[in-house]
Amino acid sequence: MPTNFTQCQDCKLQFPTKGLERPLPVRLGWIGEFGIHDLCVECRRKVYSAYKEPCPPGVGVYIDTKIKIRIFPRITLTEATAQYCLLDRHLEELPYIQVHALEAVNGVYEVKMYEERLVLEKARWLYGGDIGIDNARDAFSWQKGGAIDLPPVGVVRERRNRIRQMFLQRELFAPSKLPAIQCYIENGRGDLWEIVNALAV
Ligand SMILES: [Zn+2]
């Protein structure tokens, strides 16, 4: 199959029409007129470094309205690489804390936890904004022949952040797949304090 090429509408260079490098539509309001322009990853980086994309709800630091504690959303290396299409080396320069997992993750109990907002920033830079991350997820899922894990959103994200923060305060990590944790995160079932007190021993 021949590769088809298309032009970036800013730098005018040619890129494949498919895959990670393809130019993606970006709304530009500062190049004379409003309009959608197909931009390559380099040109998208320039746009988004001048016009920063806002942090989505529950990804940056916030106060939980239910239990009134400050939440620092953190994710594991495994989650960061799977959900944001990153490689281990992309996370090397990011700060992390190391905590003890209640259940081994890939055979180890010591888990590195990264600030999710910094992971998102890294992925946005690497792929050229949220639209670039979405494109990378499509490309990766096509490669591996299955859906990519997506970061949780809405109330599921709030519950994950809340219960995770309570364990992190005890320097523990409770994997979201533990039955009691999963039940709380996905369905809001169970008493938060009872779950934490039962597991954090
Ligand atoms: Zn370009």
Side-chain angles (χ1 to χ4, degrees), residues 57-60 62 64 71-74 116 156-166 185:
V59 174
Y62 65 97
D64 185 278
I71 308 277
F72 295 85
R74 285 184 184 274
E116 190 167 2
V156 171
R157 164 173 288 274
E158 283 173 24
R159 288 196 290 253
R160 182 209 63 176
N161 287 349
R162 182 182 303 135
I163 197 160
R164 187 167 282 194
Q165 186 69 40
M166 290 181 69
I185 294 176

Side-chain angles (χ1 to χ4, degrees), residues 8 11 40 43:
C8 167
C11 66
C40 73
C43 292

